[in-house]
Amino acid sequence: MNYKIAPSILACDFSRIGEQIRMINSSNADWLHVDVMDGVFVPNISFGQHIVKTMADLSEKTVDVHLMIVNPEKYIEQFRKAGAEIITVHAEACPHLHRTIQQIHDSGAKAGVAINPHTPVNIVENLIEDLDLVCLMSVNPGFGGQKFIYQTLEKIRTLKEMIVSKNSKALIEIDGGVGLQNMESILKAGADVLVAGSSVFKSENPINTVAKMKSLFSEN
Ligand code: DX5
Ligand code: ZN
């Protein structure tokens, strides 16, 4: 199977953030997943564009910014300038989702749509051809370290069928509660990118954990 691992910096030790990003640089992770939370769309606040810029400047991995904020269209250009290479907005936060996706593309970034656990995947059906990524939340967004919601597996299968039938290039990213213990079923259902926060950063040796996650089901 061909898949990417995206460690989520939310779970890192913030007292040594530079070191933690360098550690991810030296691992065989594919992307660096960065969770931006505003305390309105989700019941938690994380960090804004200045911190994202600091992290992106240090990162040698693709910077994958997940905006869990209301009115994300106001901040697309700022996050792009901060170094975001992929910008994902929540379908639930965008009344004009198609326009927001165009705006992300116009900024020069790849565009993703995230959907909450209760949101059906058909919300992206009429713009799937325009997306680079669909992020299925497998926990309720806002916090790291939660338990994977198993109904997500069915959503992955439905979304995969939609992507194939519409000939879309969108990758399926799974975010929340992902680790060595459940990645096989997630990949078999059709996921392309696995976000891993606690399972990487809270493990004894994060570099080894990423290496294990990468090699477990890869073809080479
Ligand atoms: C949840 C975030 C996730 C989180 C994942 O709102 O979007 O990216 O960091 O953390 P774990 O892997 O610990 O569930
Ligand atoms: Zn996330």
Side-chain angles (χ1 to χ4, degrees):
M1 279 185 274
N2 197 2
Y3 57 91
K4 298 183 196 300
I5 300 294
S8 173
I9 202 69
L10 188 69
C12 85
D13 175 354
F14 281 101
S15 69
R16 1 180 238 119
I17 180 124
E19 222 176 281
Q20 302 269 280
I21 290 174
R22 279 182 218 107
M23 175 178 74
I24 296 303
N25 287 345
S26 69
S27 78
N28 56 355
D30 300 278
W31 294 355
L32 182 72
H33 185 83
V34 179
D35 287 312
V36 176
M37 304 176 179
D38 66 354
V40 180
F41 182 70
V42 286
N44 196 11
I45 299 175
S46 59
F47 29 72
Q49 49 281 55
H50 301 297
I51 305 285
V52 172
K53 183 173 181 345
T54 308
M55 297 196 281
D57 285 349
L58 289 168
S59 178
E60 291 164 8
K61 304 292 180 181
T62 297
V63 178
D64 171 34
V65 173
H66 177 192
L67 297 179
M68 284 162 275
I69 63 175
V70 296
N71 305 127
E73 65 283 349
K74 288 189 185 166
Y75 302 98
I76 304 293
E77 283 73 25
Q78 292 184 43
F79 280 105
R80 175 64 184 149
K81 276 199 192 119
E85 291 166 85
I86 304 165
I87 299 178
T88 296
V89 294
H90 266 264
E92 301 86 357
C94 296
H96 304 286
L97 187 56
H98 189 272
R99 178 184 290 151
T100 307
I101 293 305
Q102 275 180 333
Q103 196 189 338
I104 297 173
H105 280 144
D106 289 347
S107 80
K110 294 205 163 154
V113 171
I115 63 176
N116 282 335
H118 75 280
T119 303
V121 294
N122 64 13
I123 199 163
V124 293
E125 192 166 354
N126 294 92
L127 80 173
I128 193 77
E129 293 96 330
D130 297 321
L131 298 180
D132 301 295
L133 181 91
V134 179
C135 174
L136 296 184
M137 293 309 302
S138 40
V139 297
N140 285 297
F143 303 92
Q146 303 182 79
K147 211 168 159 281
F148 182 83
I149 297 172
Y150 272 89
Q151 287 91 327
T152 312
L153 295 176
E154 195 49 47
K155 289 175 79 176
I156 301 173
R157 287 188 275 269
T158 311
L159 179 61
K160 190 74 179 183
E161 274 172 29
M162 183 198 297
I163 287 172
V164 170
S165 75
K166 299 254 188 177
N167 214 359
S168 161
K169 61 182 178 320
L171 298 176
I172 301 178
E173 178 177 66
I174 305 305
D175 189 5
V178 178
L180 283 161
Q181 76 292 350
N182 58 8
M183 57 182 281
E184 182 172 12
S185 51
I186 297 168
L187 290 170
K188 280 192 174 151
D192 303 294
V193 185
L194 306 181
V195 174
S198 319
S199 60
V200 167
F201 285 100
K202 311 285 187 225
S203 70
E204 217 168 282
N205 187 329
I207 296 184
N208 283 353
T209 304
V210 174
K212 263 192 211 156
M213 292 185 87
K214 275 297 284 183
S215 63
L216 214 47
F217 302 104
S218 74
E219 280 146 6
N220 33 11

